[in-house]
């Protein structure tokens, strides 16, 4: 019985095979190949889907500034973790003359679909490279670049953020609750270089201070670069010890770390910049004026992956967009008098609502 049944099944399969082969002459072989071709195509699609966006980050200086460059790196690290990209960081070092060739090496390698670069000192170099390498996409931060079709740029309304810093400093210098505040209505400003973007910080700082008290005087010093921390410290100590300054806003990149050290050494106060530097010298760095560079870079990468990043255009992010603001962490709440905390919250609301108008050039 079993043998007879197997024989019938075999015969049936043979007849079916002959029928399929006989229909359309050789088409049975073609049909048999098609599933393999489709499978190969699916494999290609899967491989393409798995390919990660390659992003290069060129630092016109070095990481470790507890500020601007580190903030951008934090945004890229977050994007690498959450958006599935690959990031390669190249540090240009302190020698400014090396930066153009360093960035061009990254571009010429053709390894990166997008290159992230920033600061005002790299603007002309980036525009030049974008025009010579039109297939390379750039995300440029902290400057305005328009009408270059392969560059998206984002800048931060540092004048708004610095207005808050100036108002804060004016309240600190007249405070009777802070033991290191002296009776003189004098506050300090430490800039990296005497250039437009740093002077924009300074202008906002002065506006904020004079909004609180028109009699507040601002003493300014410029390091001459953004890397010389010893000189930043020296200039800050001169303000603290010889010019009756009791709080300094340090807008000098890594050189500003010297200013924060001077605040501790002299027993006075400072305001950090770009990233939250409150923990650098706790109790002396009372707050920091934030440029949320990392958030803006993460946002730009996300928009790029969605095909929505507006190349050829610039976006400006202020307090309302959370592009700038003050660092209000546990150290801020611990060391700043409640009256100043409350007033700063009030001022921020009024700036966002437009009740307080900040003059722009």
């Amino acid at each position: 019985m079993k043998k007879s049944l197997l024989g019938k099944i075999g015969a049936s399969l043979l007849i079916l095979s002959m029928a399929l082969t006989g229909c359309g002459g050789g088409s049975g072989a073609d049909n048999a190949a098609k599933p393999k071709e489709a499978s190969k195509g699916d494999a290609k699609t899967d491989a393409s889907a798995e390919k990660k966006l390659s992003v290069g980050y060129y630092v016109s200086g070095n990481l470790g500034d507890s500020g601007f460059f580190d903030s951008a790196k934090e945004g890229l690290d977050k994007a690498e973790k959450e958006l599935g990209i690959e990031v390669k960081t190249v540090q240009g070092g302190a020698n400014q003359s090396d930066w153009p060739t360093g960035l061009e090496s990254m571009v010429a390698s053709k390894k990166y679909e997008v290159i992230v670069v920033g600061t005002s000192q790299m603007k002309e170099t980036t525009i030049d490279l974008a025009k010579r390498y039109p297939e390379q996409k750039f995300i440029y931060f902290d400057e305005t670049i328009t009408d270059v079709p392969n560059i998206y740029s984002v800048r931060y309304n540092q004048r708004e953020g610095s207005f808050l810093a100036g108002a804060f400093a004016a309240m600190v210098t007249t405070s009777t609750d802070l033991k290191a505040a002296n009776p003189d209505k004098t506050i300090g400003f430490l800039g990296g270089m005497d250039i437009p973007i740093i002077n924009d910080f300074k202008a906002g700082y002065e506006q904020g201070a004079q909004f609180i008290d028109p009699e507040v005087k601002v003493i300014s010093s410029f390091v001459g670069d953004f890397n010389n921390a010893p000189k930043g410290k020296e200039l800050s100590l001169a303000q603290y010890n010889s010019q009756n300054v009791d709080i300094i806003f340090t807008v000098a990149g890594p050189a500003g770390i010297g200013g924060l050290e001077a605040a501790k050494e002299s027993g006075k106060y400072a305001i950090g910049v770009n990233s939250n530097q409150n923990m650098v010298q706790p109790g002396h760095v009372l707050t920091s004026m934030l440029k949320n560079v990392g958030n803006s870079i993460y946002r730009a990468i996300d928009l790029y992956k969605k095909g929505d990043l507006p190349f050829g255009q610039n976006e400006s992010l202020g307090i309302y967009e959370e592009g700038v603001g003050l660092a209000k962490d546990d150290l801020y709440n611990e060391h700043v008098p409640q009256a100043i905390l409350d007033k700063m919250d009030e001022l921020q609301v009024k700036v966002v609502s437009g009740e307080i108008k900040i003059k722009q050039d």
Side-chain angles (χ1 to χ4, degrees):
M1 288 290 293
K2 289 181 181 180
K3 183 176 180 181
S4 175
L5 180 59
L6 289 172
K8 289 180 180 179
I9 292 173
S12 298
L13 290 173
L14 178 61
I15 293 169
L16 179 60
S17 176
M18 291 174 65
L20 289 173
T21 304
C23 294
S27 63
D30 292 341
N31 288 338
K34 284 180 181 178
K36 294 180 181 179
E37 290 175 359
S39 176
K40 185 177 181 181
D42 290 344
K44 286 183 178 179
T45 301
D46 291 344
S48 177
E50 291 173 3
K51 183 180 179 181
K52 293 184 177 181
L53 171 65
S54 179
V55 177
Y57 173 34
Y58 186 77
V59 181
S60 51
N62 293 295
L63 295 175
D65 63 343
S66 299
F68 209 61
F69 294 131
D70 287 355
S71 177
K73 183 64 165 59
E74 287 169 7
L76 286 165
D77 288 344
K78 180 181 177 183
E80 191 167 34
K81 181 179 179 181
E82 298 181 5
L83 301 179
I85 68 171
E86 290 182 339
V87 178
K88 169 70 174 180
T89 300
V90 175
Q91 300 184 61
N95 189 346
Q96 188 172 342
S97 64
D98 293 336
W99 299 346
T101 53
L103 179 58
E104 183 164 8
S105 293
M106 291 186 73
V107 176
S109 73
K110 298 183 179 180
K111 293 179 179 179
Y112 312 103
E113 187 171 338
V114 181
I115 292 178
V116 176
V117 61
T119 77
S120 60
Q121 294 159 295
M122 293 298 290
K123 181 176 179 178
E124 297 306 320
T125 295
T126 305
I127 291 173
D128 174 61
L129 290 171
K131 291 179 178 179
R132 290 196 284 120
Y133 297 87
E135 300 303 315
Q136 178 65 65
K137 297 291 192 297
F138 294 90
I139 293 174
Y140 196 92
F141 61 89
D142 203 37
E143 263 292 355
T144 298
I145 301 176
T146 57
D147 301 322
V148 182
N150 50 333
I151 300 178
Y152 159 82
S153 68
V154 57
R155 68 176 300 162
Y156 315 91
N157 195 332
Q158 59 258 349
R159 190 169 291 203
E160 281 190 0
S162 297
F163 177 93
L164 296 180
F168 179 85
M171 284 188 278
V172 167
T173 198
T174 56
S175 174
T176 57
D177 296 321
L178 288 164
K179 63 181 181 180
N182 61 50
D184 290 359
K185 296 180 179 181
T186 307
I187 62 177
F189 178 87
L190 179 71
M193 297 179 70
D194 189 359
I195 56 178
I197 195 167
I198 300 303
N199 283 310
D200 198 38
F201 280 91
K202 181 172 174 283
Y205 186 62
E206 291 170 340
Q207 279 191 57
Q210 290 166 8
F211 179 87
I212 296 298
D213 188 339
E215 295 182 359
V216 171
K217 181 181 178 181
V218 179
I219 303 294
S220 299
S221 303
F222 294 91
V223 177
D225 61 48
F226 293 95
N227 295 293
N228 194 338
K231 187 172 181 181
K233 182 176 181 179
E234 175 189 341
L235 292 171
S236 298
L237 286 173
Q239 288 193 27
Y240 288 130
N241 298 330
S242 303
Q243 296 175 287
N244 294 324
V245 166
D246 46 22
I247 183 166
I248 297 177
F249 182 26
T250 60
V251 188
I257 298 298
L260 304 185
E261 292 176 358
K264 180 181 180 181
E265 186 172 309
S266 61
K268 301 295 178 59
Y269 303 117
I271 300 170
V273 75
N274 296 326
S275 291
N276 184 353
Q277 297 179 324
N278 298 359
M279 72 293 299
V280 176
Q281 301 294 348
H284 296 282
V285 181
L286 297 180
T287 189
S288 300
M289 198 291 278
L290 300 176
K291 272 190 176 182
N292 292 318
V293 179
N295 291 348
S296 71
I297 299 300
Y298 178 91
R299 171 180 175 272
I301 295 293
D302 189 35
L303 287 173
Y304 178 81
K305 291 196 70 177
K306 295 174 180 176
D308 294 331
L309 193 63
F311 283 99
Q313 300 180 35
N314 171 263
E315 292 187 291
S316 180
L317 308 180
I319 295 172
Y320 176 77
E321 298 85 4
E322 298 184 348
V324 296
L326 290 187
K328 299 178 179 180
D329 59 5
D330 290 342
L331 290 170
Y332 174 79
N333 292 323
E334 177 184 350
H335 295 288
V336 178
Q338 188 63 46
I340 297 179
L341 297 179
D342 294 341
K343 185 65 174 179
M344 291 310 303
D345 288 343
E346 176 189 328
L347 289 176
Q348 181 163 321
V349 169
K350 289 182 177 180
V351 170
V352 170
S353 70
E355 183 177 343
I356 293 177
K357 305 291 186 183
I358 300 172
K359 295 178 183 178
Q360 304 284 345
D361 291 339

